[in-house]
Amino acid sequence: MRLVVDLNRCQGYAQCAFLGPDVFRLHGEESLLYDPVVGAEKRDQVLAAAAACPVGAILVDGPGVREVDAVVG
Amino acid sequence: MSAERIDRVVIVGASLAGLRAAEALRDEGFTGRLTLIGDEPEPAYDRPPLSKQVLLGQVAADATALPLARDVDAQWRLGTAATGLDLDGRTVLLADGSKVPFDRLLIATGTRARPWANEAEAALEGVLTLRTSADAGRLAALLDAKPRRVLVVGAGFTGSEIASACRERGIDVTVAERGPAPLVGALGGVIGEAAARLQRAHGVDLRCGVTVTSLEGDEAGRLCRAHLSDGTVLEADVAVVALGAIRNTGWLEGSGLAAGPRGIAADAACRAFDHNGIATDDIFVAGDVARMPHALFGYQFLSLEHWGNAVEQARLAAHNMLCASRDRRPHLWIPAFWSSQFGVNIKSIGVPTMGDEVVVTQGALEDDRFVAVYGHRGRVIAAVSFDHGRWLDFYRCLIESAAPFPPEFAGVDRPPPGTVPVPACFPDPSVPSHGPTVTVSGYAPSERRITFTPAPA
């Protein structure tokens, strides 16, 4: 599963670090570091964190998206 | 607006802006053929982690792929660079000789790292730049090998983040910066001093006002030492050249578009200008490679190498290339970016480089926790925070409403009375002139418009 955090929007509420501790961590008081690609076993953590983010800064793969559609040359 | 059918959209540049534009095109109802062309072989990946999580060894360099909010049903031509554009024939030429026709084209080719000027020195083992995931993988491997010392050439955001990662991993690092302080080009001398203190407090051997004159290799072609302009000779195994970026516009040479070293000029609807200065109706630009006027900042052409700018312009370009001319939206996104270094979250909103004065409005510079506000001819033009990011939305509203500078407001965390603005100390301050005032109104993208207040006669 792929994810990205819009860190312009992130305000360091750290809800993600509580709900997805294996994926999200605070670095210092306010900087968020996270794993952009995670295995299926962490999917629930990521979805819970994305749902709980007060500013909606966590974007994840939409349901059923393919990685790339068709690669040519 | 002609009733021309749009069946084929081509996006050149398959990174953040290209990807977000593809999503937005489908969201906007485009059902035709969509082709994305990218010179890098990997699917779109996120670059900010490359100088942070990846160098800290927390994330593999090839594991920063960007998510897709929806299927974009596109044909991807990855690992194939675009080499030319035929405006009359509406065709993109590719490095493999093929031609891709389009009805609408989005150019989002971004930038590349500025290489070390001396090619023989740049080829030494241990000398590299940081822009791509492959670069990050090489640098992370070099840091894993515990080098004796890393030399970072240039103390902009990338250079400073690299130095931060080195210190966090216990690696000795020297930063050589030509200017008087780190980040001085982006944030000015006052905040630059705070950044310099932060670096030194974390054990960076920071040397300002010097340049690296040459890099020296051993017999095996490995970097062994660097020579500085002050005569110093420095032993180092790794040198990271962090001297900014070059816009990828070379492939447009001779195309007739207004493309050059400063980017591709466009109007506020993302429509590229041709070299007559006339907006094209079928070529759009977005992201680092774009350069367009911003009503709120004196209609200056801004080129912004910001993550958020790529996202916003991509959506805007996608909307504007499909809609009727009356429904086009202007580029009114307020520039914003972040950096994470030495455990401090640095955030910026507005255009600090336009500031002629700066004042701390919350916290204190010496605590590495503050908000500093930049003023431009009596109005708030930007704000920069160190570990105070939560407040920036408030300052965005001040910028959008052209609030008076220095800002007057009551609140917590205020500096002592008598704190007054000081010169922002940009190395090359612009010479501003009296002009009209522009403010932004509206919340939804479709209703964000400007209010123009003419200058008093």
Side-chain angles (χ1 to χ4, degrees), chain B residues 37-331:
Chain B
I37 297 160
D39 64 344
E40 290 187 71
E42 308 87 359
Y45 57 86
D46 205 29
R47 295 184 200 276
L50 300 180
S51 54
K52 304 176 187 78
Q53 293 98 306
V54 171
L55 296 189
L56 290 172
Q58 298 176 355
V59 167
D62 59 0
T64 74
L66 281 164
L68 266 173
R70 56 168 296 151
D71 263 330
V72 295
D73 187 21
Q75 188 182 55
W76 300 78
R77 304 195 60 158
L78 302 178
T80 313
T83 53
L85 168 64
D86 176 357
L87 280 183
D88 295 325
R90 283 190 168 177
T91 308
V92 176
L93 315 174
L94 301 190
D96 62 5
S98 56
K99 297 177 176 182
V100 187
F102 61 83
D103 300 315
R104 292 287 181 276
L105 171 68
L106 176 65
I107 300 173
T109 42
T111 63
R112 63 187 185 279
R114 185 185 306 282
W116 187 242
N118 182 315
E119 283 180 29
E121 294 177 9
L124 290 171
E125 196 184 321
V127 178
L128 70 173
T129 55
L130 177 57
R131 174 75 190 172
T132 66
S133 68
D135 294 338
R138 276 193 293 274
L139 181 53
L142 288 169
L143 298 186
D144 285 343
K146 299 271 172 251
R148 287 172 303 159
R149 178 168 293 275
V150 172
L151 168 64
V152 178
V153 188
F157 284 103
T158 304
S160 298
E161 288 180 3
I162 294 165
S164 170
C166 288
R167 288 310 303 143
E168 193 159 338
R169 298 183 62 167
I171 298 166
D172 286 338
V173 59
T174 296
V175 174
E177 163 61 40
R178 182 169 58 178
L183 314 181
V184 70
L187 304 182
V190 177
I191 309 304
E193 270 313 304
R197 205 170 43 240
L198 195 60
Q199 294 211 0
R200 293 197 168 109
H202 285 80
V204 174
D205 171 27
L206 173 66
R207 304 186 187 192
C208 297
V210 297
T211 56
V212 175
T213 50
S214 67
L215 300 170
E216 186 184 331
D218 62 15
E219 285 158 12
R222 283 187 300 259
L223 174 74
C224 58
R225 59 187 72 90
H227 299 265
L228 307 187
S229 57
D230 61 1
T232 316
V233 179
L234 197 73
E235 305 282 326
D237 308 324
V238 176
V240 192
V241 178
L243 294 172
I246 297 177
R247 295 184 167 76
N248 291 321
T249 54
W251 67 285
L252 294 167
E253 203 171 303
S255 67
L257 280 190
R262 297 169 70 190
I264 304 164
D267 72 1
C270 298
R271 295 182 299 179
F273 285 143
D274 67 17
H275 60 199
N276 296 306
I278 296 173
T280 57
D281 242 347
D282 47 357
I283 318 281
F284 291 73
V285 294
D288 289 7
V289 80
R291 190 171 157 256
M292 59 184 80
H294 199 305
L296 206 55
F297 302 100
Y299 294 94
Q300 286 205 41
F301 277 73
L302 300 181
S303 357
L304 302 166
E305 295 173 35
H306 300 164
W307 190 94
N309 182 60
V311 172
E312 288 296 321
Q313 286 182 344
R315 289 187 186 134
L316 190 68
H319 172 83
N320 287 344
M321 75 168 67
L322 297 178
C323 74
S325 61
R326 293 272 305 146
D327 296 328
R328 290 205 177 110
R329 294 177 196 151
H331 173 58

Side-chain angles (χ1 to χ4, degrees), chain A residues 10 27 29-30 62 70 72-73, chain B residues 68 76 80 168 345 347 369 387:
Chain A
C10 173
H27 189 251
E29 286 186 41
E30 221 183 78
V72 180
Chain B
L68 266 173
W76 300 78
T80 313
E168 193 159 338
N345 189 31
K347 294 185 104 171
R369 285 174 57 83
D387 273 351

Side-chain angles (χ1 to χ4, degrees), chain A residues 47-73:
Chain A
L47 293 179
C53 177
V55 291
I58 303 171
L59 290 83
V60 301
D61 268 327
V65 297
R66 291 163 286 181
E67 188 155 307
V68 286
D69 302 289
V71 178
V72 180

